[in-house]
Amino acid sequence: MNTSNYQLIIITLLSVAVRSGTVILFPTIGEIFTERSGVLNLGLEGIMLISAFVAFIVAFYSNNPYIGFLIGILTGGIISLLHSYICITLYGNQVVSGLAISIFGSGFTNFYGSNFANLKLDNPLKSFPIPYLSKIPIIGQIFFNQDIIVYFSYILVPVMWFLLYKTKIGINLRAVGENAIAANAMGVDVYKTRYLWTIFGGLLAGAGGSYLTVGYAPFWMDGITAGRGWIAVALVIFSMWNPLISIIGAYLFGSLDALQFQLQVMGTKIAPSFLAMIPYLTTLIIIIITTVVLRVKRIGVPKELGKPFFKEEK
């Protein structure tokens, strides 16, 4: 194999890594904002599964991946609205509610998805190169020969960072996540803030799941998310609740995910099940290292995370 062939393989690998990373980048950013408001949503895996299924069904019958993507996003928002109602209005246990959503999502898609197993979309999202930028050697082929959802993610990350750290909306959000009682005393509507950002997190989880089945892997199979929702929850810790850092974790996972598929295609003698385990094992190691760093630098989780807010408290 000559040098140009190796270069082509690496470019293809990294291009796939960007798309794979985009699947997990959306729910990671969404969960960062949800947790910043003090609400923990462990239902990302279930939300992604149901959204992926709904998006696939809509795209399959409408032959329009964009409609499927949008309906999938709305599905994520509706499910997170239910989580919000249980956790914020009813003061329910956030962990139990999230786990229930994940278990329900697995069962729901397993039951109703059996009739669509291994079906493929005839018209998935298509890549289109950005003029001039796509002509940049190597970088252009990796980052600017993608589909519109990937381009949207490029814009989303800095916009959400700016909103979180440089706007009044972000200040209010962080205030609610650090000290809800003080934020309430300052006139911030804690309930409204938590509802808004929990639903927002669900919408982005829906975006990740939808992109999986209408763009990255345009077919349906049981358990297609393969634990990506749980990885997104873990990457929130890796990113230290910062949207800019989250893109590093998402693309790292995407690179390992793409690499294990590439190695299988190349006929490596390593067992496929071991290769499939590598992205998740690496994520676990990263989380351990990140947790140690967080303790050393004394960077902790939002102080109100997982705690219900009672307005009558003083």
Side-chain angles (χ1 to χ4, degrees):
M1 188 177 291
N2 56 40
T3 305
S4 61
N5 287 336
Y6 279 118
Q7 181 174 317
L8 179 61
I9 290 174
I10 293 173
I11 290 174
T12 302
L13 177 68
L14 294 179
S15 179
V16 173
V18 171
R19 290 198 292 277
S20 176
T22 301
V23 173
I24 206 166
L25 179 62
F26 283 120
T28 301
I29 293 177
E31 183 65 9
I32 286 174
F33 279 77
T34 300
E35 293 192 11
R36 282 284 190 178
S37 75
V39 177
L40 178 66
N41 187 357
L42 295 180
L44 293 187
E45 178 71 8
I47 294 174
M48 288 184 70
L49 263 175
I50 297 174
S51 297
F53 177 63
V54 171
F56 177 81
I57 296 299
V58 173
F60 183 81
Y61 285 111
S62 68
N63 200 34
N64 189 323
Y66 297 100
I67 295 177
F69 183 72
L70 291 175
I71 299 299
I73 290 176
L74 291 176
T75 301
I78 292 171
I79 299 172
S80 62
L81 175 61
L82 175 63
H83 182 65
S84 304
Y85 180 71
I86 294 171
C87 300
I88 301 171
T89 301
L90 301 181
Y91 311 113
N93 187 293
Q94 297 179 14
V95 174
V96 174
S97 176
L99 292 176
I101 289 173
S102 286
I103 295 170
F104 170 75
S106 178
F108 177 85
T109 54
N110 176 269
F111 182 77
Y112 289 103
S114 58
N115 293 330
F116 299 90
N118 300 319
L119 291 180
K120 298 180 180 179
L121 294 184
D122 294 328
N123 184 29
L125 290 175
K126 293 180 173 57
S127 302
F128 67 91
I130 295 181
Y132 305 111
L133 293 178
S134 62
K135 300 299 182 184
I136 300 173
I138 302 178
I139 293 177
Q141 293 169 283
I142 295 171
F143 292 101
F144 301 111
N145 190 18
Q146 302 285 358
D147 56 62
I148 191 169
I149 305 303
V150 173
Y151 297 141
F152 173 70
S153 71
Y154 295 162
I155 300 170
L156 180 69
V157 173
V159 167
M160 296 314 296
W161 176 86
F162 184 84
L163 187 143
L164 182 61
Y165 291 107
K166 302 296 180 181
T167 68
K168 186 178 180 181
I169 294 174
I171 293 172
N172 289 343
L173 168 62
R174 287 184 284 141
V176 169
E178 293 299 326
N179 192 328
I181 296 175
N184 180 65
M186 293 168 58
V188 179
D189 191 329
V190 176
Y191 292 121
K192 184 178 177 180
T193 301
R194 289 189 167 182
Y195 258 98
L196 173 65
W197 292 111
T198 303
I199 293 171
F200 175 78
L203 290 171
L204 285 192
S210 301
Y211 179 66
L212 178 63
T213 51
V214 303
Y216 178 63
F219 59 88
W220 176 254
M221 61 176 285
D222 186 35
I224 192 169
T225 54
R228 286 178 172 83
W230 298 112
I231 295 295
V233 174
L235 289 182
V236 171
I237 300 171
F238 166 79
S239 67
M240 304 179 191
W241 294 266
N242 185 326
L244 287 184
I245 300 177
S246 69
I247 197 169
I248 299 173
Y251 282 177
L252 175 62
F253 178 85
S255 299
L256 294 171
D257 189 42
L259 177 63
Q260 60 100 1
F261 278 117
Q262 184 64 42
L263 289 175
Q264 291 185 46
V265 171
M266 294 173 68
T268 179
K269 294 182 179 179
I270 303 174
S273 55
F274 181 82
L275 291 174
M277 183 177 63
I278 290 176
Y280 303 94
L281 179 61
T282 305
T283 302
L284 181 62
I285 294 172
I286 290 173
I287 294 303
I288 293 173
I289 296 173
T290 305
T291 302
V292 173
V293 172
L294 287 174
R295 286 191 175 186
V296 172
K297 292 188 175 183
R298 297 184 178 180
I299 301 174
V301 299
K303 292 182 175 58
E304 295 285 344
L305 182 60
K307 299 178 182 177
F309 171 70
F310 301 94
K311 198 169 186 178
E312 63 274 17
E313 287 187 356
K314 294 182 180 179

